[in-house]
Amino acid sequence: GIQVEQSPPDLILQEGANSTLRCNFSDSVNNLQWFHQNPWGQLINLFYIPSGTKQNGRLSATTVATERYSLLYISSSQTTDSGVYFCAVGYNTDKLIFGTGTRLQVFP
Amino acid sequence: ETGVTQSPTHLIKTRGQQVTLRCSSQSGHNTVSWYQQALGQGPQFIFQYYREEENGRGNFPPRFSGLQFPNYSSELNVNALELDDSALYLCASTRGDSGVSPLHFGNGTRLTVT
């Protein structure tokens, strides 16, 4: 099956800093989504981005499907950005395979 | 438009018991997927239901079973509970006949097996 690797596993930032999270996958996908899981366990869909670039406020994401990676950019980080960020992928399916996540801690 | 709702929010069971978790899909969605998230790991796909039929299953034993009802709500049943079944169980719904689409999850049910 498809393997999904995320890096870095952990990230500690001061408020206001920028960061880039990476997701590598081992096979062709046409379904790639980024999620944020807050400290209370809620899993929020950030982007549905099988290819190209999207932006939503301080967050943006880019997927280069031909090179099998996706990047999530967080600018001007805030304490509320803390949590775990997951990348999840699939091919012709919405039965997604999740990576192990990047744990982000933002300090004031 | 209401989102995906799950009940109960927390549950404590004893090893060997059976448990039923419930999920109401988002309005207009006919597909429900269930995921298990163990502590410190990413969610893992359990199975999916589309128009009341199982439509794909992950690597989970038969004691994990499900149902989908005519109103597209769903249940996840786990028999003969084991300690390793302790996890956050997440439900997501989609409009399955529109192809690949974003997943939107409920808040989950946290199951503890003692």
Side-chain angles (χ1 to χ4, degrees), chain A residues 1-24:
Chain A
I2 301 173
Q3 304 297 314
V4 184
E5 292 183 355
Q6 291 186 244
S7 60
D10 295 280
L11 194 54
I12 300 174
L13 298 175
Q14 194 158 25
E15 217 167 18
N18 303 327
S19 60
T20 301
L21 283 58
R22 187 177 179 103
C23 171
N24 292 333

Side-chain angles (χ1 to χ4, degrees), chain A residues 47-104:
Chain A
F47 293 104
Y48 168 67
I49 185 166
S51 63
T53 297
K54 289 186 177 180
Q55 180 155 7
N56 184 2
R58 297 181 295 103
L59 302 182
S60 64
T62 295
T63 297
V64 184
T66 53
E67 296 188 21
R68 300 182 183 170
Y69 74 89
S70 183
L71 302 174
L72 177 69
Y73 305 96
I74 305 174
S75 64
S76 303
S77 57
Q78 300 176 359
T79 56
T80 52
D81 294 332
S82 297
V84 183
Y85 289 81
F86 289 103
C87 165
V89 305
Y91 185 78
N92 282 346
T93 179
D94 52 9
K95 308 173 188 73
L96 297 181
I97 298 170
F98 280 73
T100 51
T102 292
R103 182 174 300 276
L104 174 65

Side-chain angles (χ1 to χ4, degrees), chain B residues 35-78:
Chain B
Y35 288 77
Q36 181 198 63
Q37 185 178 20
L39 197 61
Q41 298 182 20
Q44 286 196 303
F45 174 73
I46 303 175
F47 44 55
Q48 182 181 84
Y49 279 83
Y50 172 64
R51 294 186 175 177
E52 302 180 58
E53 298 283 335
E54 187 176 290
N55 180 37
R57 187 179 185 91
N59 189 26
F60 281 81
R63 57 190 188 82
F64 285 78
S65 63
L67 282 174
Q68 187 177 33
F69 300 98
N71 66 354
Y72 303 130
S73 66
S74 176
E75 286 182 355
L76 163 64
N77 298 291
V78 187

Side-chain angles (χ1 to χ4, degrees), chain A residues 30-31 33 35 37 39-45 48 86 91-101 103, chain B residues 31 33 35 37 40-43 45 48 55-56 88 90 94 96 99-107 110:
Chain A
N30 61 2
N31 186 354
Q33 302 184 33
F35 296 88
Q37 189 164 42
W40 297 272
Q42 293 176 309
L43 197 59
I44 306 298
N45 192 307
Y48 168 67
F86 289 103
Y91 185 78
N92 282 346
T93 179
D94 52 9
K95 308 173 188 73
L96 297 181
I97 298 170
F98 280 73
T100 51
R103 182 174 300 276
Chain B
T31 301
S33 302
Y35 288 77
Q37 185 178 20
Q41 298 182 20
F45 174 73
Q48 182 181 84
N55 180 37
L88 180 67
L90 294 159
T94 52
V100 170
S101 55
L103 281 189
H104 294 282
F105 286 90
N107 289 339
R110 194 167 297 277

